[in-house]
Amino acid sequence: MTETLPFRGLAGRLGGLLLPVALLLLLALPGPGRAQGISAKELSRFLDRLYRSETSQGVVEMTIVSPHYTRRLEMRIWTRGMDYTLIRILSPAKEKGTATLKRGSEMWNYLPKIGKTIRIPPSMMMSAWMGSDLTNDDLVKETTWENDYHVDLVADPPPGRVGLVYVPKEDAAVTWSKVVAFVDARTKLPLSQEYYDEKGRKVRLMDFKEVRDLGGRTIPSRMVITPLSEDKEGRRTEMIYRELAFDQPLPDSLFSLSNLRRGE
């Protein structure tokens, strides 16, 4: 059974890797709008594809910390390009089988306890996912930086860093009024991302840590997302990649609604 759930019906029960997703970094000669031999657009493309390729699959551990509890989830994630994503909860037992599927601009959640597949409307893309500090859009990454934002280099970044500032294009359907990202000037790997709301307030921080080799790439394996608003003081969400593989064949049936409902 498939149904569409209104915004308030699913918010707080199910909520998405700002994890910008990666192929190869293309270095170029210095010129206008360049730093350390790379342009703002080239660096942005690298960050946008850092954890994704033609296909990717991996196991991720998520820890949700609040002043009152700590909650851990383990999940397996499959992606194909920027259009297809499947996320399935492996543990704990009470959440096992809960899954999220994204195909193009459409997204569904499967709830095994009630045996229902629920379509997520676009209005819910910024809702919290599984009680974490991530949103639906963060996990399935419906948008890309290059499509939705103008990007430029930060004029005076801290020593050892290169900064990018993203400002939405006029017709982009995005939530953030500005995003500032810093990368290591030598490796170009991400260090942090700052998110600003429509009033220009910094409301979320994402830190990238623990660089290691995964799936033949050297990437940060741990991300810490910290909300900065007063009502979320003491909260954070951590994501750690335990396994990661790229460019392995994935069947079309993997991203089907029937497979989503299997819960395995």
Side-chain angles (χ1 to χ4, degrees):
M1 179 177 181
T2 302
E3 63 185 48
T4 299
L5 201 66
F7 179 86
R8 293 185 181 179
L10 191 59
R13 182 170 55 172
L14 282 175
L17 267 128
L18 171 109
L19 303 177
V21 269
L23 291 176
L24 300 173
L25 177 60
L26 303 175
L27 295 176
L29 295 174
R34 295 184 177 273
Q36 303 290 327
I38 186 170
S39 72
K41 182 173 288 189
E42 288 167 340
L43 183 54
S44 179
R45 287 175 180 172
F46 171 64
L47 296 176
D48 214 23
R49 297 181 173 222
L50 188 57
Y51 296 88
R52 201 187 289 243
S53 189
E54 291 300 318
T55 69
S56 70
Q57 53 186 303
V59 175
V60 178
E61 178 183 304
M62 175 185 285
T63 302
I64 304 164
V65 178
S66 81
H68 308 294
Y69 65 87
T70 297
R71 180 169 172 238
R72 289 183 175 84
L73 302 171
E74 186 179 45
M75 65 191 81
R76 182 170 289 277
I77 302 175
W78 299 264
T79 73
R80 177 187 286 171
M82 299 296 289
D83 290 326
Y84 297 92
T85 301
L86 175 64
I87 303 168
R88 197 180 302 282
I89 303 298
L90 304 177
S91 66
K94 66 178 181 178
E95 306 286 359
K96 185 176 180 180
T98 300
T100 296
L101 173 66
K102 183 234 177 189
R103 296 190 313 196
S105 60
E106 296 184 293
M107 178 178 169
W108 299 265
N109 282 325
Y110 175 66
L111 308 178
K113 287 186 177 180
I114 60 176
K116 288 186 177 181
T117 300
I118 298 172
R119 183 179 178 276
I120 308 301
S123 60
M124 287 196 59
M125 291 307 294
M126 297 308 295
S127 298
W129 189 84
M130 296 298 291
S132 72
D133 298 298
L134 292 168
T135 66
N136 289 312
D137 188 62
D138 289 330
L139 283 180
V140 303
K141 204 61 188 74
E142 182 182 22
T143 58
T144 65
W145 293 111
E146 186 174 352
N147 290 341
D148 295 321
Y149 289 84
H150 298 291
V151 58
D152 206 347
L153 294 169
V154 173
D156 189 21
R161 297 188 174 198
V162 176
L164 295 173
V165 57
Y166 296 89
V167 178
K169 296 179 180 179
E170 291 183 1
D171 58 346
V174 296
T175 296
W176 312 113
S177 67
K178 182 176 69 172
V179 178
V180 179
F182 289 101
V183 305
D184 184 282
R186 181 178 61 85
T187 66
K188 306 301 188 292
L189 292 176
L191 297 172
S192 66
Q193 292 176 339
E194 304 168 354
Y195 300 85
Y196 294 79
D197 66 11
E198 69 281 358
K199 296 183 179 180
R201 299 172 299 192
K202 185 163 66 173
V203 294
R204 188 170 78 169
L205 176 66
M206 178 180 286
D207 291 305
F208 297 81
K209 303 175 181 289
E210 297 178 13
V211 174
R212 55 180 290 215
D213 291 332
L214 284 167
R217 301 182 185 184
T218 301
I219 58 174
S221 64
R222 177 171 167 246
M223 298 84 170
V224 182
I225 302 96
T226 306
L228 302 179
S229 57
E230 292 184 3
D231 60 328
K232 294 186 177 182
E233 186 175 357
R235 286 188 59 95
R236 73 178 186 275
T237 296
E238 299 188 14
M239 295 184 67
I240 299 176
Y241 279 87
R242 297 300 187 191
E243 302 173 15
L244 196 57
F246 298 98
D247 296 324
Q248 297 184 356
L250 298 177
D252 293 341
S253 59
L254 180 67
F255 302 102
S256 66
L257 285 173
S258 59
N259 183 58
L260 176 70
R261 298 186 187 104
R262 287 173 187 161
E264 300 174 355

PDB file of all heavy atoms in Angstrom, residues 48-75:
ATOM      1  N   ASP A  48      31.090  18.065  -4.720  1.00  0.00           N
ATOM      2  CA  ASP A  48      29.743  17.597  -5.022  1.00  0.00           C
ATOM      3  C   ASP A  48      29.701  16.109  -5.337  1.00  0.00           C
ATOM      4  O   ASP A  48      28.656  15.486  -5.304  1.00  0.00           O
ATOM      5  CB  ASP A  48      29.195  18.396  -6.206  1.00  0.00           C
ATOM      6  CG  ASP A  48      27.703  18.626  -6.110  1.00  0.00           C
ATOM      7  OD1 ASP A  48      27.168  18.583  -4.984  1.00  0.00           O
ATOM      8  OD2 ASP A  48      27.084  18.856  -7.155  1.00  0.00           O
ATOM      9  N   ARG A  49      30.881  15.525  -5.657  1.00  0.00           N
ATOM     10  CA  ARG A  49      30.918  14.117  -6.072  1.00  0.00           C
ATOM     11  C   ARG A  49      31.883  13.293  -5.226  1.00  0.00           C
ATOM     12  O   ARG A  49      32.294  12.212  -5.641  1.00  0.00           O
ATOM     13  CB  ARG A  49      31.330  14.032  -7.542  1.00  0.00           C
ATOM     14  CG  ARG A  49      30.353  14.702  -8.473  1.00  0.00           C
ATOM     15  CD  ARG A  49      30.797  14.569  -9.913  1.00  0.00           C
ATOM     16  NE  ARG A  49      29.764  15.072 -10.803  1.00  0.00           N
ATOM     17  CZ  ARG A  49      29.387  14.479 -11.940  1.00  0.00           C
ATOM     18  NH1 ARG A  49      29.948  13.356 -12.289  1.00  0.00           N
ATOM     19  NH2 ARG A  49      28.445  15.001 -12.688  1.00  0.00           N
ATOM     20  N   LEU A  50      32.189  13.768  -4.055  1.00  0.00           N
ATOM     21  CA  LEU A  50      33.258  13.150  -3.279  1.00  0.00           C
ATOM     22  C   LEU A  50      32.938  11.733  -2.829  1.00  0.00           C
ATOM     23  O   LEU A  50      33.815  10.892  -2.736  1.00  0.00           O
ATOM     24  CB  LEU A  50      33.580  14.016  -2.057  1.00  0.00           C
ATOM     25  CG  LEU A  50      34.799  13.608  -1.231  1.00  0.00           C
ATOM     26  CD1 LEU A  50      36.046  13.567  -2.097  1.00  0.00           C
ATOM     27  CD2 LEU A  50      34.990  14.546  -0.064  1.00  0.00           C
ATOM     28  N   TYR A  51      31.688  11.434  -2.529  1.00  0.00           N
ATOM     29  CA  TYR A  51      31.327  10.122  -2.016  1.00  0.00           C
ATOM     30  C   TYR A  51      30.490   9.311  -3.004  1.00  0.00           C
ATOM     31  O   TYR A  51      29.933   8.298  -2.655  1.00  0.00           O
ATOM     32  CB  TYR A  51      30.548  10.265  -0.701  1.00  0.00           C
ATOM     33  CG  TYR A  51      31.391  10.875   0.385  1.00  0.00           C
ATOM     34  CD1 TYR A  51      31.458  12.247   0.549  1.00  0.00           C
ATOM     35  CD2 TYR A  51      32.143  10.075   1.236  1.00  0.00           C
ATOM     36  CE1 TYR A  51      32.247  12.816   1.532  1.00  0.00           C
ATOM     37  CE2 TYR A  51      32.931  10.629   2.222  1.00  0.00           C
ATOM     38  CZ  TYR A  51      32.982  11.998   2.365  1.00  0.00           C
ATOM     39  OH  TYR A  51      33.766  12.549   3.342  1.00  0.00           O
ATOM     40  N   ARG A  52      30.405   9.793  -4.230  1.00  0.00           N
ATOM     41  CA  ARG A  52      29.555   9.124  -5.209  1.00  0.00           C
ATOM     42  C   ARG A  52      30.285   9.054  -6.543  1.00  0.00           C
ATOM     43  O   ARG A  52      31.130   9.879  -6.845  1.00  0.00           O
ATOM     44  CB  ARG A  52      28.238   9.916  -5.358  1.00  0.00           C
ATOM     45  CG  ARG A  52      27.102   9.103  -5.939  1.00  0.00           C
ATOM     46  CD  ARG A  52      25.911   9.988  -6.216  1.00  0.00           C
ATOM     47  NE  ARG A  52      25.240  10.451  -5.021  1.00  0.00           N
ATOM     48  CZ  ARG A  52      23.988  10.150  -4.715  1.00  0.00           C
ATOM     49  NH1 ARG A  52      23.283   9.369  -5.501  1.00  0.00           N
ATOM     50  NH2 ARG A  52      23.433  10.639  -3.638  1.00  0.00           N
ATOM     51  N   SER A  53      29.942   8.060  -7.337  1.00  0.00           N
ATOM     52  CA  SER A  53      30.507   7.927  -8.665  1.00  0.00           C
ATOM     53  C   SER A  53      29.388   7.451  -9.573  1.00  0.00           C
ATOM     54  O   SER A  53      28.228   7.785  -9.346  1.00  0.00           O
ATOM     55  CB  SER A  53      31.677   6.938  -8.630  1.00  0.00           C
ATOM     56  OG  SER A  53      32.370   6.944  -9.853  1.00  0.00           O
ATOM     57  N   GLU A  54      29.701   6.656 -10.613  1.00  0.00           N
ATOM     58  CA  GLU A  54      28.632   6.085 -11.430  1.00  0.00           C
ATOM     59  C   GLU A  54      27.699   5.271 -10.541  1.00  0.00           C
ATOM     60  O   GLU A  54      26.484   5.351 -10.646  1.00  0.00           O
ATOM     61  CB  GLU A  54      29.221   5.231 -12.554  1.00  0.00           C
ATOM     62  CG  GLU A  54      29.946   6.033 -13.616  1.00  0.00           C
ATOM     63  CD  GLU A  54      29.042   7.028 -14.305  1.00  0.00           C
ATOM     64  OE1 GLU A  54      27.881   6.668 -14.614  1.00  0.00           O
ATOM     65  OE2 GLU A  54      29.478   8.177 -14.517  1.00  0.00           O
ATOM     66  N   THR A  55      28.298   4.472  -9.647  1.00  0.00           N
ATOM     67  CA  THR A  55      27.537   3.799  -8.600  1.00  0.00           C
ATOM     68  C   THR A  55      28.372   3.814  -7.328  1.00  0.00           C
ATOM     69  O   THR A  55      29.592   3.935  -7.367  1.00  0.00           O
ATOM     70  CB  THR A  55      27.209   2.337  -8.946  1.00  0.00           C
ATOM     71  OG1 THR A  55      28.421   1.567  -8.935  1.00  0.00           O
ATOM     72  CG2 THR A  55      26.524   2.225 -10.294  1.00  0.00           C
ATOM     73  N   SER A  56      27.707   3.693  -6.189  1.00  0.00           N
ATOM     74  CA  SER A  56      28.408   3.532  -4.918  1.00  0.00           C
ATOM     75  C   SER A  56      27.523   2.732  -3.977  1.00  0.00           C
ATOM     76  O   SER A  56      26.298   2.714  -4.115  1.00  0.00           O
ATOM     77  CB  SER A  56      28.768   4.885  -4.296  1.00  0.00           C
ATOM     78  OG  SER A  56      27.611   5.551  -3.831  1.00  0.00           O
ATOM     79  N   GLN A  57      28.157   2.060  -3.033  1.00  0.00           N
ATOM     80  CA  GLN A  57      27.425   1.348  -1.989  1.00  0.00           C
ATOM     81  C   GLN A  57      28.299   1.282  -0.757  1.00  0.00           C
ATOM     82  O   GLN A  57      29.528   1.208  -0.856  1.00  0.00           O
ATOM     83  CB  GLN A  57      27.017  -0.049  -2.451  1.00  0.00           C
ATOM     84  CG  GLN A  57      28.135  -0.909  -2.980  1.00  0.00           C
ATOM     85  CD  GLN A  57      27.616  -2.204  -3.552  1.00  0.00           C
ATOM     86  OE1 GLN A  57      26.939  -2.970  -2.877  1.00  0.00           O
ATOM     87  NE2 GLN A  57      27.909  -2.454  -4.826  1.00  0.00           N
ATOM     88  N   GLY A  58      27.677   1.350   0.396  1.00  0.00           N
ATOM     89  CA  GLY A  58      28.455   1.343   1.619  1.00  0.00           C
ATOM     90  C   GLY A  58      27.609   1.123   2.850  1.00  0.00           C
ATOM     91  O   GLY A  58      26.376   1.102   2.791  1.00  0.00           O
ATOM     92  N   VAL A  59      28.286   0.934   3.966  1.00  0.00           N
ATOM     93  CA  VAL A  59      27.648   0.784   5.269  1.00  0.00           C
ATOM     94  C   VAL A  59      28.031   1.986   6.121  1.00  0.00           C
ATOM     95  O   VAL A  59      29.217   2.324   6.227  1.00  0.00           O
ATOM     96  CB  VAL A  59      28.073  -0.524   5.960  1.00  0.00           C
ATOM     97  CG1 VAL A  59      27.492  -0.594   7.373  1.00  0.00           C
ATOM     98  CG2 VAL A  59      27.626  -1.729   5.139  1.00  0.00           C
ATOM     99  N   VAL A  60      27.033   2.639   6.692  1.00  0.00           N
ATOM    100  CA  VAL A  60      27.238   3.862   7.461  1.00  0.00           C
ATOM    101  C   VAL A  60      26.641   3.690   8.851  1.00  0.00           C
ATOM    102  O   VAL A  60      25.532   3.156   8.998  1.00  0.00           O
ATOM    103  CB  VAL A  60      26.575   5.073   6.765  1.00  0.00           C
ATOM    104  CG1 VAL A  60      26.761   6.337   7.598  1.00  0.00           C
ATOM    105  CG2 VAL A  60      27.155   5.264   5.371  1.00  0.00           C
ATOM    106  N   GLU A  61      27.378   4.125   9.851  1.00  0.00           N
ATOM    107  CA  GLU A  61      26.870   4.146  11.226  1.00  0.00           C
ATOM    108  C   GLU A  61      26.505   5.578  11.586  1.00  0.00           C
ATOM    109  O   GLU A  61      27.307   6.496  11.429  1.00  0.00           O
ATOM    110  CB  GLU A  61      27.935   3.622  12.185  1.00  0.00           C
ATOM    111  CG  GLU A  61      27.518   3.650  13.655  1.00  0.00           C
ATOM    112  CD  GLU A  61      28.631   3.192  14.569  1.00  0.00           C
ATOM    113  OE1 GLU A  61      29.135   2.059  14.380  1.00  0.00           O
ATOM    114  OE2 GLU A  61      29.031   3.979  15.462  1.00  0.00           O
ATOM    115  N   MET A  62      25.291   5.772  12.053  1.00  0.00           N
ATOM    116  CA  MET A  62      24.821   7.095  12.455  1.00  0.00           C
ATOM    117  C   MET A  62      24.574   7.111  13.958  1.00  0.00           C
ATOM    118  O   MET A  62      23.917   6.213  14.492  1.00  0.00           O
ATOM    119  CB  MET A  62      23.526   7.463  11.715  1.00  0.00           C
ATOM    120  CG  MET A  62      22.912   8.782  12.182  1.00  0.00           C
ATOM    121  SD  MET A  62      21.305   9.123  11.395  1.00  0.00           S
ATOM    122  CE  MET A  62      21.845   9.600   9.751  1.00  0.00           C
ATOM    123  N   THR A  63      25.113   8.119  14.634  1.00  0.00           N
ATOM    124  CA  THR A  63      24.883   8.305  16.064  1.00  0.00           C
ATOM    125  C   THR A  63      24.218   9.656  16.277  1.00  0.00           C
ATOM    126  O   THR A  63      24.740  10.685  15.847  1.00  0.00           O
ATOM    127  CB  THR A  63      26.194   8.251  16.864  1.00  0.00           C
ATOM    128  OG1 THR A  63      26.838   7.001  16.623  1.00  0.00           O
ATOM    129  CG2 THR A  63      25.931   8.408  18.351  1.00  0.00           C
ATOM    130  N   ILE A  64      23.060   9.639  16.918  1.00  0.00           N
ATOM    131  CA  ILE A  64      22.297  10.854  17.200  1.00  0.00           C
ATOM    132  C   ILE A  64      22.427  11.151  18.686  1.00  0.00           C
ATOM    133  O   ILE A  64      22.037  10.333  19.517  1.00  0.00           O
ATOM    134  CB  ILE A  64      20.821  10.676  16.812  1.00  0.00           C
ATOM    135  CG1 ILE A  64      20.714  10.269  15.340  1.00  0.00           C
ATOM    136  CG2 ILE A  64      20.030  11.951  17.095  1.00  0.00           C
ATOM    137  CD1 ILE A  64      19.352   9.705  14.965  1.00  0.00           C
ATOM    138  N   VAL A  65      23.003  12.294  19.009  1.00  0.00           N
ATOM    139  CA  VAL A  65      23.258  12.666  20.407  1.00  0.00           C
ATOM    140  C   VAL A  65      22.391  13.859  20.776  1.00  0.00           C
ATOM    141  O   VAL A  65      22.335  14.859  20.041  1.00  0.00           O
ATOM    142  CB  VAL A  65      24.744  13.015  20.621  1.00  0.00           C
ATOM    143  CG1 VAL A  65      24.992  13.448  22.059  1.00  0.00           C
ATOM    144  CG2 VAL A  65      25.630  11.832  20.248  1.00  0.00           C
ATOM    145  N   SER A  66      21.698  13.762  21.901  1.00  0.00           N
ATOM    146  CA  SER A  66      20.918  14.875  22.443  1.00  0.00           C
ATOM    147  C   SER A  66      21.189  14.948  23.937  1.00  0.00           C
ATOM    148  O   SER A  66      21.808  14.041  24.504  1.00  0.00           O
ATOM    149  CB  SER A  66      19.423  14.664  22.173  1.00  0.00           C
ATOM    150  OG  SER A  66      18.874  13.788  23.127  1.00  0.00           O
ATOM    151  N   PRO A  67      20.746  16.013  24.613  1.00  0.00           N
ATOM    152  CA  PRO A  67      20.963  16.100  26.060  1.00  0.00           C
ATOM    153  C   PRO A  67      20.289  14.973  26.832  1.00  0.00           C
ATOM    154  O   PRO A  67      20.654  14.705  27.980  1.00  0.00           O
ATOM    155  CB  PRO A  67      20.354  17.458  26.428  1.00  0.00           C
ATOM    156  CG  PRO A  67      20.424  18.258  25.172  1.00  0.00           C
ATOM    157  CD  PRO A  67      20.178  17.263  24.068  1.00  0.00           C
ATOM    158  N   HIS A  68      19.329  14.288  26.211  1.00  0.00           N
ATOM    159  CA  HIS A  68      18.526  13.302  26.937  1.00  0.00           C
ATOM    160  C   HIS A  68      18.769  11.863  26.510  1.00  0.00           C
ATOM    161  O   HIS A  68      18.392  10.935  27.224  1.00  0.00           O
ATOM    162  CB  HIS A  68      17.047  13.629  26.783  1.00  0.00           C
ATOM    163  CG  HIS A  68      16.701  15.049  27.122  1.00  0.00           C
ATOM    164  ND1 HIS A  68      16.816  15.560  28.406  1.00  0.00           N
ATOM    165  CD2 HIS A  68      16.287  16.074  26.342  1.00  0.00           C
ATOM    166  CE1 HIS A  68      16.463  16.838  28.399  1.00  0.00           C
ATOM    167  NE2 HIS A  68      16.143  17.172  27.156  1.00  0.00           N
ATOM    168  N   TYR A  69      19.372  11.640  25.346  1.00  0.00           N
ATOM    169  CA  TYR A  69      19.570  10.266  24.889  1.00  0.00           C
ATOM    170  C   TYR A  69      20.643  10.228  23.806  1.00  0.00           C
ATOM    171  O   TYR A  69      20.988  11.248  23.215  1.00  0.00           O
ATOM    172  CB  TYR A  69      18.269   9.679  24.338  1.00  0.00           C
ATOM    173  CG  TYR A  69      17.759  10.364  23.090  1.00  0.00           C
ATOM    174  CD1 TYR A  69      18.196   9.982  21.815  1.00  0.00           C
ATOM    175  CD2 TYR A  69      16.852  11.419  23.179  1.00  0.00           C
ATOM    176  CE1 TYR A  69      17.746  10.616  20.677  1.00  0.00           C
ATOM    177  CE2 TYR A  69      16.396  12.068  22.039  1.00  0.00           C
ATOM    178  CZ  TYR A  69      16.844  11.657  20.795  1.00  0.00           C
ATOM    179  OH  TYR A  69      16.398  12.299  19.664  1.00  0.00           O
ATOM    180  N   THR A  70      21.151   9.017  23.562  1.00  0.00           N
ATOM    181  CA  THR A  70      22.033   8.744  22.429  1.00  0.00           C
ATOM    182  C   THR A  70      21.453   7.556  21.678  1.00  0.00           C
ATOM    183  O   THR A  70      21.109   6.541  22.277  1.00  0.00           O
ATOM    184  CB  THR A  70      23.461   8.418  22.900  1.00  0.00           C
ATOM    185  OG1 THR A  70      24.005   9.564  23.562  1.00  0.00           O
ATOM    186  CG2 THR A  70      24.362   8.066  21.718  1.00  0.00           C
ATOM    187  N   ARG A  71      21.344   7.695  20.365  1.00  0.00           N
ATOM    188  CA  ARG A  71      20.712   6.672  19.537  1.00  0.00           C
ATOM    189  C   ARG A  71      21.632   6.327  18.377  1.00  0.00           C
ATOM    190  O   ARG A  71      22.213   7.226  17.757  1.00  0.00           O
ATOM    191  CB  ARG A  71      19.383   7.209  19.019  1.00  0.00           C
ATOM    192  CG  ARG A  71      18.577   6.279  18.148  1.00  0.00           C
ATOM    193  CD  ARG A  71      17.193   6.871  17.968  1.00  0.00           C
ATOM    194  NE  ARG A  71      16.420   6.118  16.991  1.00  0.00           N
ATOM    195  CZ  ARG A  71      15.902   6.634  15.900  1.00  0.00           C
ATOM    196  NH1 ARG A  71      16.091   7.913  15.617  1.00  0.00           N
ATOM    197  NH2 ARG A  71      15.185   5.898  15.084  1.00  0.00           N
ATOM    198  N   ARG A  72      21.774   5.028  18.093  1.00  0.00           N
ATOM    199  CA  ARG A  72      22.666   4.597  17.021  1.00  0.00           C
ATOM    200  C   ARG A  72      21.892   3.802  15.977  1.00  0.00           C
ATOM    201  O   ARG A  72      21.059   2.961  16.318  1.00  0.00           O
ATOM    202  CB  ARG A  72      23.818   3.754  17.571  1.00  0.00           C
ATOM    203  CG  ARG A  72      24.822   4.576  18.371  1.00  0.00           C
ATOM    204  CD  ARG A  72      25.989   3.740  18.848  1.00  0.00           C
ATOM    205  NE  ARG A  72      26.997   4.562  19.508  1.00  0.00           N
ATOM    206  CZ  ARG A  72      26.946   4.911  20.780  1.00  0.00           C
ATOM    207  NH1 ARG A  72      25.938   4.509  21.535  1.00  0.00           N
ATOM    208  NH2 ARG A  72      27.893   5.682  21.296  1.00  0.00           N
ATOM    209  N   LEU A  73      22.203   4.064  14.712  1.00  0.00           N
ATOM    210  CA  LEU A  73      21.631   3.340  13.584  1.00  0.00           C
ATOM    211  C   LEU A  73      22.762   2.865  12.686  1.00  0.00           C
ATOM    212  O   LEU A  73      23.761   3.565  12.516  1.00  0.00           O
ATOM    213  CB  LEU A  73      20.704   4.237  12.758  1.00  0.00           C
ATOM    214  CG  LEU A  73      19.506   4.887  13.442  1.00  0.00           C
ATOM    215  CD1 LEU A  73      18.869   5.906  12.500  1.00  0.00           C
ATOM    216  CD2 LEU A  73      18.492   3.833  13.854  1.00  0.00           C
ATOM    217  N   GLU A  74      22.598   1.681  12.108  1.00  0.00           N
ATOM    218  CA  GLU A  74      23.495   1.225  11.058  1.00  0.00           C
ATOM    219  C   GLU A  74      22.670   1.067   9.793  1.00  0.00           C
ATOM    220  O   GLU A  74      21.557   0.531   9.831  1.00  0.00           O
ATOM    221  CB  GLU A  74      24.155  -0.103  11.430  1.00  0.00           C
ATOM    222  CG  GLU A  74      25.215  -0.535  10.415  1.00  0.00           C
ATOM    223  CD  GLU A  74      25.891  -1.831  10.796  1.00  0.00           C
ATOM    224  OE1 GLU A  74      25.182  -2.772  11.196  1.00  0.00           O
ATOM    225  OE2 GLU A  74      27.133  -1.905  10.683  1.00  0.00           O
ATOM    226  N   MET A  75      23.177   1.537   8.669  1.00  0.00           N
ATOM    227  CA  MET A  75      22.407   1.507   7.432  1.00  0.00           C
ATOM    228  C   MET A  75      23.304   1.163   6.259  1.00  0.00           C
ATOM    229  O   MET A  75      24.513   1.420   6.277  1.00  0.00           O
ATOM    230  CB  MET A  75      21.722   2.859   7.204  1.00  0.00           C
ATOM    231  CG  MET A  75      22.687   4.016   6.975  1.00  0.00           C
ATOM    232  SD  MET A  75      21.866   5.627   7.033  1.00  0.00           S
ATOM    233  CE  MET A  75      21.800   5.847   8.821  1.00  0.00           C
TER     234      MET A  75
END
